Amino acid sequence: MFGTISKEIEVPVTANEAWKIYGTIQLANIVVKELPNIVHRVDILEGDGGVGSILRVTFPPGTPLLTSHKEKFVVVDDEKRVKIAQVVEGGLLDLGFTFYKVKFEVIEKDKETCITRATIEYDVKEEAAANASFVSIQTFVDIMNMVAKCLTQGKDGQSCA
């Protein structure tokens, strides 16, 4: 069973300013610092945050059914301002998912405003279809709202870095 969920928010900063966070490993660092209820720790296992980088994302103690997963950056496109991370081990893959990826996009609306969009794409085995209910865009909405707050309170997210 294939599914996709997407949500976007408007941010009163330039697309280039927002991409300075979304397009780098700084996003993971800010999430760990500002949203410890979502992500406890991020370890870079391979790479520098660009395409091919592999990260181990550890969830907070007590997170139902999930302790950690490994994800790989399969797209980091500075021109289109798109980053795609795909889970390659653990996490939802242990719960019957065959595919799970998250795409962040930063879209220029005008000279001083951008849209940030998060999209989840997943595929789950038919026998585990009930586990599709674990997929929620809200975590990524919380991340986008937190990044927006950082960007509007300090240049390049420095208020949260």
Side-chain angles (χ1 to χ4, degrees):
M1 180 175 90
F2 179 80
T4 185
I5 306 170
S6 187
K7 190 77 172 179
E8 59 187 40
I9 66 168
E10 188 172 303
V11 185
V13 300
T14 67
N16 285 336
E17 289 299 310
W19 186 248
K20 287 177 184 178
I21 292 178
Y22 283 99
T24 67
I25 199 66
Q26 185 179 1
L27 177 63
N29 297 333
I30 291 173
V31 170
V32 168
K33 179 181 177 192
E34 297 296 320
L35 296 171
N37 60 313
I38 293 175
V39 175
H40 177 67
R41 181 179 170 150
V42 174
D43 297 299
I44 300 174
L45 303 177
E46 293 180 29
D48 59 3
V51 172
S53 295
I54 297 177
L55 285 64
R56 177 184 297 113
V57 178
T58 304
F59 302 106
T63 301
L65 302 173
L66 301 173
T67 56
S68 68
H69 71 230
K70 286 184 185 175
E71 62 184 46
K72 181 177 186 175
F73 293 153
V74 294
V75 173
V76 180
D77 187 327
D78 292 330
E79 187 175 314
K80 294 180 180 176
R81 297 186 203 97
V82 174
K83 180 190 269 184
I84 300 175
Q86 183 171 335
V87 175
V88 294
E89 181 182 304
L92 292 173
L93 299 183
D94 292 341
L95 300 176
F97 286 72
T98 58
F99 177 80
Y100 184 89
K101 75 177 182 180
V102 176
K103 174 169 51 172
F104 281 110
E105 299 170 87
V106 178
I107 304 152
E108 185 173 320
K109 181 175 180 185
D110 58 43
K111 288 186 177 191
E112 298 299 321
T113 309
C114 68
I115 304 287
T116 57
R117 179 185 302 141
T119 303
I120 300 170
E121 291 183 15
Y122 65 92
D123 193 14
V124 63
K125 297 174 188 174
E126 287 303 319
E127 62 270 18
N131 290 346
S133 65
F134 296 134
V135 177
S136 171
I137 195 71
Q138 188 58 49
T139 295
F140 300 102
V141 171
D142 293 346
I143 290 169
M144 290 189 299
N145 284 326
M146 180 271 307
V147 171
K149 181 180 173 185
C150 289
L151 286 165
T152 57
Q153 290 181 351
K155 187 168 171 49
D156 298 338
Q158 291 303 312
S159 66
C160 293

